[in-house]
Amino acid sequence: MLSLADAARLVVARGALMQALPAGGAMVAVEASEDEVRPLLVEGVSIAAVNGPTAVVVSGIEAEVASIQGHFEGVGRRATRLWVSHAFHSPLMDPMLEGFRAVVADLSFGEPVIPIVSTLTGLPVGEGEMADPDYWVRHVSEPVRFADAVKALEGKGVTTYVELGPDAVLTAMGQRCVEGAVFVPVLRRGRPEGVEAVSALSAVAVRGGAVDWAAFYAGTGARRVDLPTYAFQRQRYWLDALEYWADAWAGADTGGVTSVGLTRTAHPLLGAALASPDGDGVVLTGRLSLGSQPWLADHVVGGSVLFPGTGMVELAIAAGDRVGCEYLEELTLQAPLVIPERGGVAVQVVVGSAAEDGTRPVQMYARPDGEEQPWTCHATGLLSADAQSPSFDLVEWPPVGAVRVGAEGLYEGLGLAGLGYGPVFQGVQAVWRRGEEVFAEVALPEGVSVDGFGVHPALLDACLHAMALGDGDGGGAAGSARLPFVWSGVSFHAVGAARVRLRLAVAGESVALEVADDQGRPVAKVDSLVLREVSADQMAAAASAFHESLFEVEWARLPEVLPGLVPGDVSVVRVVSGVDAGAVRLAVHGVLAAVQSVVGRLVVVTRGAVALPGEGVGDLAGSAVWGLVRSAQSEDPGRFVLVDVGVDVDVDEDQGVDAAVGLALASGESQVVVRGGSVFGARLVRAGVGRGGVAGVGAGSVFSSDGVVLVSGASGALGGLVARHLVSVYGVRSLLLVSRRGGDAPGMGELAA
């Protein structure tokens, strides 16, 4: 390879010689394979790059390149002019080749110290190959075979690729070349370099790459922290669910919403309604969660699950329909509504009294589970009864003069802009363009229920995705995403649609939308929708509200107590430490037998199974026992006591264990850690952002896309939700689904698909 000085000479000479060439020529990126492009090449035009299976760059004389561009546009393929100063990698580079050869011949080359795959040949570099000046001259005039190089690496078993550069250009191209691999850009344009570099290293680490974190953080004062806790909510979830379904099966409402003065609704997202006592307004209430509405997990923006703006439109129109005002004159979205990974959010849609002109104000509020959480207004608008009969149809399909646009790579591009759409929201099937108009076919996946919705939010949201192919904007600037902001003139004309046709008309910063069913009959109309860019920082701020509902266990030092004698009616079980599967199994089964058979109080003593700050957990068998006994404590409070002693105590030595048990019993606590003569009790405390890793909840994946993830209980509703979430959010491609009912359980075939 080259020294730094010689490498600089090569780069400077190449750039100077190229820029000294006469201006002229053109480069166009076309959506086609190399085999499709090659027959169209003429003198003065060549292939400059092969970046993917259907991603080729043509370069050369401007008029000839423009002719090739027109050919592919005429058959509905994407063809984009690259704004460059010269036609690189084309015959127009020939005048500079000899001068460049002379520069390269004067440089000193050594053999590479790491293996290299060449983008000139698409093959591993042979001995002495890169020391030949002809190699570098050919690199100027011949195609860049990026796709072949990536495929060669795939053949070598490479599954993780790190891009060293100022942006994620190669990452986007590489993802189209191979399947199942992860591409990690070290930097992204417009984002903080430090944050991006750490994110890249983290992505490599969770894929099994060797990252020396101690060296990376040396001198920074960084330290290890506990993993995030779960969202502890004071809810009787299972009892409430059983009560609800028991009522539904019985056809009664005993103990349900009507028993507390509410009215049931038939809407899937709004469970009850309450009329205002001092006017003719109404309040509709509901609860959103990934457990109740698993399809919401497929709408991820900036790393957070976001309730779509189309959902807010759906709720506003549903609320207005109850008071005869189903026309949404305007709805302004004020704040993004993040759906937490655990727990949920309560929502209220408030429709005010009618004004003299018949309009009614509408607001949508939400708050995380828990009465202590504040309400946030997420949308405000105006409803009326002025909806007009639809004056459009899309019976003629596809429209005359519309040119088919390739939709391949649409969702990959939106993903790069921070819009992570899962299967339910990936509805765009086909797209056409006619001037400023975009036409598309959009459908929900099989099995997604539309019952009770005006227009399913995922279907309406997917209708907006076609804009990315109409205006060339993949969703927003780097580090941001374009989301609905102000809706005007929204009306629904039919319900139950799962497959639609649509027309989008872009005018400046807004877009008009007409939606019809698959026969061309009107379904919905939006007079105007203004979109606004939402940054990653704004999304993080919205998500931080939910972190406040997270709790963690903290070990608090208790007041000094004098150890008492262990009463005769108290049984003590000492757990033998161990770290292998056999030791864990033996310990858990032994303690379970004691829990089931011992009459009276039972004290379970472990050694190093719980860690205080600065300690590490060294006893996996004891940790498993703590989980078991904690469950028993919740069923029979006051009967079981957990005691963990330090590693300096021998559990087989009576005096040390008796002293620890005596301290624990004297403290009156059910879970204690004894270190020396000090006793620590478990306390549930609110976890703050940035503490215990809470700020990073949901920000990164610990799952490898090429590894196997085991999901037990997969035939149940929760197991199915977990499996789907692993695939759509974490990119897992290999799942082992196990269930007591086996593969013949209802729904298992669809889940596997």
Side-chain angles (χ1 to χ4, degrees), residues 148-239:
D148 292 340
V150 174
K151 293 295 289 184
L153 290 169
E154 182 188 33
K156 298 282 186 182
V158 175
T159 58
T160 303
Y161 300 78
V162 179
E163 178 177 354
L164 301 178
D167 205 353
V169 176
L170 300 182
T171 291
M173 295 192 302
Q175 290 171 336
R176 303 187 186 102
C177 298
V178 295
E179 295 182 358
V182 169
F183 289 79
V184 181
V186 173
L187 297 177
R188 289 181 185 269
R189 184 175 303 166
R191 299 188 185 182
E193 292 187 0
V195 173
E196 289 301 304
V198 174
S199 298
L201 288 174
S202 301
V204 172
V206 300
R207 294 272 299 174
V211 177
D212 188 347
W213 290 111
F216 181 83
Y217 285 110
T220 64
R223 60 184 178 81
R224 290 182 178 272
V225 297
D226 293 332
L227 291 174
T229 59
Y230 65 95
F232 184 86
Q233 307 293 352
R234 292 179 175 85
Q235 288 187 307
R236 297 181 300 113
Y237 175 78
W238 292 110
L239 293 178

Side-chain angles (χ1 to χ4, degrees), residues 129-146:
E129 182 178 356
M130 298 181 72
D132 185 351
D134 282 341
Y135 175 89
W136 298 98
V137 172
R138 290 174 57 205
H139 219 301
V140 171
S141 57
E142 296 184 15
V144 177
R145 297 198 165 276
F146 175 79

Side-chain angles (χ1 to χ4, degrees), residues 271-305:
L274 176 66
S276 174
D278 58 353
D280 57 352
V282 65
V283 177
L284 285 89
T285 68
R287 183 175 180 272
L288 305 174
S289 72
L290 300 186
S292 301
Q293 297 90 23
W295 54 270
L296 289 175
D298 285 354
H299 190 264
V300 179
V301 179
S304 298
V305 177

Side-chain angles (χ1 to χ4, degrees), residues 313 316-317 320 324-332 355 357-362 380-388 485-492 525-530:
V313 169
I317 291 180
C325 292
E326 65 279 2
Y327 181 65
L328 186 59
E329 292 200 354
E330 184 174 285
L331 187 72
T332 301
D357 61 358
T359 61
R360 293 172 178 265
V362 60
T380 63
L382 200 64
L383 294 160
S384 76
D386 292 339
Q388 303 294 319
F485 177 42
V486 179
W487 300 78
S488 301
V490 184
S491 53
F492 292 167
K525 187 173 185 292
V526 179
D527 291 341
S528 173
L529 168 60
V530 177

Side-chain angles (χ1 to χ4, degrees), residues 226 607-620 623 644 647 675:
D226 293 332
R607 177 174 176 265
V610 178
L612 295 179
E615 297 180 346
V617 174
D619 180 17
L620 298 186
S623 294
D644 188 75
V647 294
R675 297 294 186 264

Side-chain angles (χ1 to χ4, degrees), residues 621-658:
S623 294
V625 166
W626 270 69
L628 168 68
V629 178
R630 277 172 166 161
S631 298
Q633 287 176 333
S634 66
E635 297 178 8
D636 197 350
R639 184 178 164 211
F640 305 104
V641 178
L642 280 165
V643 182
D644 188 75
V645 298
V647 294
D648 57 332
V649 176
D650 185 351
V651 294
D652 292 328
E653 193 267 317
D654 290 337
Q655 185 175 358
V657 171
D658 288 346

